[in-house]
Amino acid sequence: MKTGIFGGAFDPIHKGHIYMAQKAMEEYSLDRILLVPSGHSPNKTENAMTAFSHRYNMCKLASEAVPVLRCLILR
C-alpha cells in the first residue's frame, strides 16, 4: 500500500488542504494519505492557535468525508 503523509497546522483544515491531498494521491498513485496536525504553526504564536484537540477533531471530521484520508497523531 502506497501511503502519503501530509502534515500541517490545519488551523483550520479547509477545502484547499483536501484538494491538495487528493491531487497528491492522483499524481503519485497513492492508496491513502495520512493527515498529521502539527503541534505548532511557525506562522502563529501559541496564543493565536486553536487548541490541538480541536484541530485534531476538525481533521478527523474532514477526513471522514474522503475515505482514503486518515487523521492521526504522531507521538
Side-chain angles (χ1 to χ4, degrees):
M1 176 177 277
K2 290 176 68 177
T3 301
I5 299 173
F6 181 17
F10 302 130
D11 190 14
I13 192 163
H14 53 75
K15 290 180 183 181
H17 294 120
I18 303 302
Y19 177 81
M20 288 190 307
Q22 290 174 316
K23 286 299 179 185
M25 289 190 68
E26 293 171 13
E27 181 69 25
Y28 299 105
S29 302
L30 301 173
D31 298 306
R32 69 180 179 168
I33 292 191
L34 304 177
L35 301 172
V36 183
S38 65
H40 179 71
S41 170
N43 302 320
K44 295 182 180 180
T45 64
E46 287 283 336
N47 295 338
M49 289 196 64
T50 304
F52 180 82
S53 61
H54 294 306
R55 293 185 291 117
Y56 174 70
N57 287 330
M58 287 188 287
C59 182
K60 279 180 40 179
L61 288 171
S63 65
E64 287 175 0
V66 183
V68 293
L69 298 181
R70 297 284 181 272
C71 186
L72 81 136
I73 300 173
L74 295 179
R75 293 185 192 256

